[in-house]
Amino acid sequence: MVSKHYFAVIFTSTLIDNPIGYHEMALKMEELARQQHGFIDISSARNETGITVSYWETEQAILNWKANIDHQLAQKLGKSTWYASYKVEIARVERSYVFSK
Amino acid sequence: MVSKHYFAVIFTSTLIDNPIGYHEMALKMEELARQQHGFIDISSARNETGITVSYWETEQAILNWKANIDHQLAQKLGKSTWYASYKVEIARVERSYVFSK
């Protein structure tokens, strides 16, 4: 994690019942995100609600990732097929602290 | 959700094995957070990693919640007992968009 400001995309979603092909696509998109310029890290958890937070060095890196052609296709499939709802929030991380045993 | 800028606390954590009393405390803290001045919303998911995002109207509301006496006790117990690791990030949400079927 870098010490200067960085950016987080908070993606909160609910899926339809039995979202065939979703998990494969989610893994594929995570792999692809990791290869993008300006990518820092990604973290995911899902119960009824799913939360994925991806971290980026700049807002431009986020815009580039949003416009990535394979990601665009996944976004379209997500809206037409897998997601019941989602929310995307782009946030600037002002400060952070960590704890580890 | 308010239309002006708001703030997110992204809390990412891993638990020790068998964290006795953790889930009861997490629920209690979520209820207490909802009662705080400036609170907007909270969303949680947990697999191996847990992610909780709470939303606040101002940074001062976040500081007040951090300093809340019952929350302070929960934080102490979390560090001494339940959490293997955690990261707290305070972020300013710059823009957001939603989708719903």
Side-chain angles (χ1 to χ4, degrees):
Chain A
M1 201 63 79
V2 293
S3 62
K4 59 183 172 75
H5 281 122
Y6 55 94
F7 294 85
V9 179
I10 308 167
F11 184 76
T12 311
S13 65
T14 56
L15 298 169
I16 59 162
D17 291 339
N18 195 21
I20 296 167
Y22 168 76
H23 295 287
E24 292 78 1
M25 181 63 95
L27 281 174
K28 198 173 155 184
M29 284 304 112
E30 181 174 325
E31 279 173 32
L32 191 61
R34 288 182 183 278
Q35 297 165 25
Q36 304 307 303
H37 187 74
F39 174 88
I40 300 171
D41 202 0
I42 191 166
S43 187
S44 285
R46 175 173 294 285
N47 304 126
E48 191 179 345
T49 297
I51 305 175
T52 295
V53 187
S54 61
Y55 298 97
W56 303 85
E57 288 175 5
T58 62
E59 289 199 85
Q60 188 58 52
I62 294 170
L63 293 175
N64 292 348
W65 170 233
K66 189 181 178 189
N68 175 286
I69 192 76
D70 293 323
H71 189 204
Q72 284 275 344
L73 177 61
Q75 289 170 61
K76 272 184 196 162
L77 282 168
K79 285 173 94 155
S80 65
T81 309
W82 297 310
Y83 292 115
S85 68
Y86 66 71
K87 179 175 67 172
V88 182
E89 290 161 313
I90 290 85
R92 176 184 147 111
V93 178
E94 305 285 342
R95 60 187 191 279
S96 65
Y97 46 100
V98 297
F99 165 77
S100 184
K101 261 179 191 137
Chain B
M1 201 63 82
V2 291
S3 61
K4 61 184 170 76
H5 282 122
Y6 54 95
F7 294 85
V9 179
I10 307 167
F11 183 76
T12 310
S13 64
T14 56
L15 298 169
I16 59 162
D17 291 339
N18 195 20
I20 296 167
Y22 167 75
H23 295 287
E24 292 77 2
M25 181 63 95
L27 281 174
K28 198 173 155 185
M29 284 304 113
E30 181 174 325
E31 278 172 32
L32 191 60
R34 288 181 184 279
Q35 297 164 24
Q36 303 308 302
H37 186 75
F39 173 89
I40 300 172
D41 201 0
I42 190 167
S43 187
S44 285
R46 176 172 293 283
N47 304 126
E48 189 178 345
T49 297
I51 305 174
T52 295
V53 186
S54 61
Y55 298 97
W56 302 85
E57 288 175 5
T58 62
E59 288 199 86
Q60 188 57 52
I62 295 170
L63 294 174
N64 292 348
W65 171 232
K66 189 181 177 188
N68 174 287
I69 193 76
D70 293 323
H71 189 204
Q72 285 274 345
L73 177 61
Q75 289 170 61
K76 272 184 197 160
L77 282 167
K79 285 173 93 157
S80 65
T81 310
W82 297 311
Y83 291 115
S85 68
Y86 66 72
K87 179 176 65 171
V88 182
E89 290 160 311
I90 290 84
R92 175 184 148 109
V93 178
E94 304 286 343
R95 61 185 191 280
S96 65
Y97 46 98
V98 298
F99 165 77
S100 184
K101 264 175 190 139

